[in-house]
Amino acid sequence: MKDNKLSITCPNCGKLNVIGSPRCSNCGHPLPNSNQWGPPQHQQIPKRLVGITLTVAAVLAMILLWTIIQHNQALSYATFLNSAPQKVILYNARHRPVKTVYLIGD
């Protein structure tokens, strides 16, 4: 078997040929020029498809954000209902009580 780096495959019959040969040695089909071979050319994604994809992604992101906000609000409300007020006493520099505050929540 020949080295693939030094050969070109015939698009018609699949036989390996020497690079630079104008025709296939097996079937005589014209071979592409060696300068036509290179990294594969990627097809462009249609702009319409890109727009649709971005729209769907934005809608899904908004739904996810809304769900997170609703879940957090429910947790905050449940925490508010289930917690007892906490007494906090504020002291001055001389360690005397100045103000009493009641906090609700954890």
Side-chain angles (χ1 to χ4, degrees), residues 63-79:
I63 290 171
L64 179 63
L65 182 62
W66 180 79
T67 304
I68 291 171
I69 290 171
Q70 291 299 321
H71 181 70
N72 285 340
Q73 285 179 349
L75 287 178
S76 298
Y77 186 67
T79 302

Side-chain angles (χ1 to χ4, degrees), residues 31-39:
L31 296 173
N33 295 334
S34 61
N35 60 2
Q36 290 177 347
W37 294 91

Side-chain angles (χ1 to χ4, degrees), residues 54-64:
L54 290 177
T55 303
V56 169
V59 169
L60 290 175
M62 287 189 294
I63 290 171
L64 179 63

Side-chain angles (χ1 to χ4, degrees), residues 7-85:
S7 59
I8 186 168
T9 305
C10 176
N12 188 39
C13 68
K15 175 147 173 68
L16 293 176
N17 294 279
V18 178
I19 289 181
S21 300
R23 297 195 170 270
C24 177
S25 61
N26 185 41
C27 67
H29 189 270
L31 296 173
N33 295 334
S34 61
N35 60 2
Q36 290 177 347
W37 294 91
Q41 298 297 324
H42 299 288
Q43 294 179 346
Q44 291 286 359
I45 299 174
K47 289 182 180 180
R48 181 174 181 213
L49 183 60
V50 171
I52 291 171
T53 304
L54 290 177
T55 303
V56 169
V59 169
L60 290 175
M62 287 189 294
I63 290 171
L64 179 63
L65 182 62
W66 180 79
T67 304
I68 291 171
I69 290 171
Q70 291 299 321
H71 181 70
N72 285 340
Q73 285 179 349
L75 287 178
S76 298
Y77 186 67
T79 302
F80 174 74
L81 291 177
N82 295 332
S83 63

